[in-house]
Amino acid sequence: IGVRLVGSEMCIRDRELAIISQKAKLQPIANESLNKLENGLKSINSVESYNQLIKKCGGMLLNVVNDIMLLANIKQNKLNISLEKCNIVPFIYQSCEIFTPEMHKNNITINYDLPETLECNVDIFRFQQVLANIISNSVKYNKTNGSINVHGFIDESNEYLHIKIKDTGIGIPQAFIPSATDPFKRINEHAHNISGTGLGLSIAKEMLQVMNGSMQIESVFGEWTQVTITFANLTPFNKNKTSNENTLN
């Protein structure tokens, strides 16, 4: 009976995911969830294991739905944004430190080259979401024993503030770079074993535009990827002279 119930649930899940995917272009993500579910079912030996597997796959699909809703709200100008002038340096550190366990797991080193103060107008919560989406990719697509460099500075014109996040990961093929921020576009189609919705960079780009910022992607396939965030500079010139370097390993 238990086997028939599982089979029935799988058929229902298959039909529901097919409908959702056709409407929202989510077939690759739906297939990823189903494959994990099907492969996991083969090795299940307890009800607890089955529940954990369902919860994990359900969480993946929930993340997709949440990302779709967030992107839709941004495009329809329904996202609540509260811009304020602030020093973003502490928030850069905080956003990166969230991924410390994952970096330690793969022996990835993160290096900071940041001044004490970088001032601009941002929504702090949304700014940290942007950084989290970018850093998440830098960690997921990095190599074991790789590194991530975070460099914040004001350009020579003293007009623009830049944050460069560069990793030593698998890189993006040149032909894919222009479409890397398109919705549902996986950053590297060759990395089939890496989970994700394909919406992270798209959401980051849209959020930055709402905050009057911009994002640029550069990459050499097989070697590195660099994402540059740019805002108008609000930092007095003399505060940018002293640089503070920190390394986390």
Side-chain angles (χ1 to χ4, degrees), residues 16-233:
E16 290 178 346
L17 286 176
I19 293 171
I20 294 172
S21 301
Q22 289 173 2
K23 292 182 178 180
K25 299 181 181 179
L26 292 175
Q27 193 65 54
I29 301 169
N31 287 343
E32 181 181 347
S33 297
L34 282 173
N35 287 336
K36 288 189 176 182
L37 184 59
E38 290 168 354
N39 292 334
L41 286 171
K42 296 176 183 177
S43 60
I44 280 180
N45 53 20
S46 70
V47 174
E48 182 179 357
S49 297
Y50 175 77
N51 289 337
Q52 290 176 350
L53 180 63
I54 293 297
K55 184 177 180 180
K56 181 178 180 180
C57 292
M60 287 176 60
L61 294 177
L62 181 60
N63 287 338
V64 174
V65 173
N66 288 337
D67 280 352
I68 292 172
M69 292 178 65
L70 178 57
L71 189 59
N73 284 336
I74 296 172
K75 289 185 173 295
Q76 295 172 17
N77 296 319
K78 294 182 179 179
L79 190 68
N80 292 325
I81 291 287
S82 178
L83 300 180
E84 59 179 293
K85 179 181 177 181
C86 63
N87 177 16
I88 62 173
V89 172
F91 303 111
I92 295 175
Y93 284 122
Q94 290 175 15
S95 300
C96 295
E97 288 168 358
I98 293 172
F99 298 94
T100 298
E102 295 173 57
M103 288 188 282
H104 281 173
K105 182 179 179 181
N106 294 295
N107 199 29
I108 296 171
T109 300
I110 184 164
N111 306 300
Y112 298 99
D113 182 6
L114 298 167
E116 294 180 1
T117 303
L118 287 171
E119 293 182 336
C120 61
N121 286 321
V122 296
D123 180 301
I124 295 173
F125 176 69
R126 301 303 180 186
F127 173 67
Q128 289 188 293
Q129 279 187 300
V130 168
L131 288 175
N133 284 352
I134 295 172
I135 294 294
S136 175
N137 278 342
S138 293
V139 174
K140 286 192 299 184
Y141 293 95
N142 216 318
K143 303 168 185 174
T144 301
N145 301 319
S147 65
I148 300 171
N149 295 313
V150 182
H151 178 35
F153 64 99
I154 295 168
D155 66 14
E156 293 180 357
S157 70
N158 201 38
E159 294 181 2
Y160 297 102
L161 177 160
H162 303 285
I163 304 162
K164 292 183 179 290
I165 301 168
K166 185 175 183 178
D167 64 64
T168 57
I170 58 179
I172 309 172
Q174 194 67 30
F176 289 177
I177 294 177
S179 60
T181 58
D182 290 352
F184 305 108
K185 185 70 175 181
R186 299 298 297 277
I187 194 169
N188 192 316
E189 302 292 352
H190 299 279
H192 298 295
N193 62 329
I194 299 176
S195 62
T197 65
L199 287 169
L201 290 181
S202 180
I203 290 173
K205 178 183 177 181
E206 295 289 341
M207 279 189 177
L208 284 170
Q209 289 177 346
V210 172
M211 293 187 288
N212 302 313
S214 64
M215 184 174 78
Q216 180 184 6
I217 299 174
E218 302 168 87
S219 186
V220 173
F221 184 53
E223 296 185 21
W224 55 266
T225 297
Q226 178 172 272
V227 178
T228 302
I229 298 171
T230 300
F231 290 106
N233 171 40

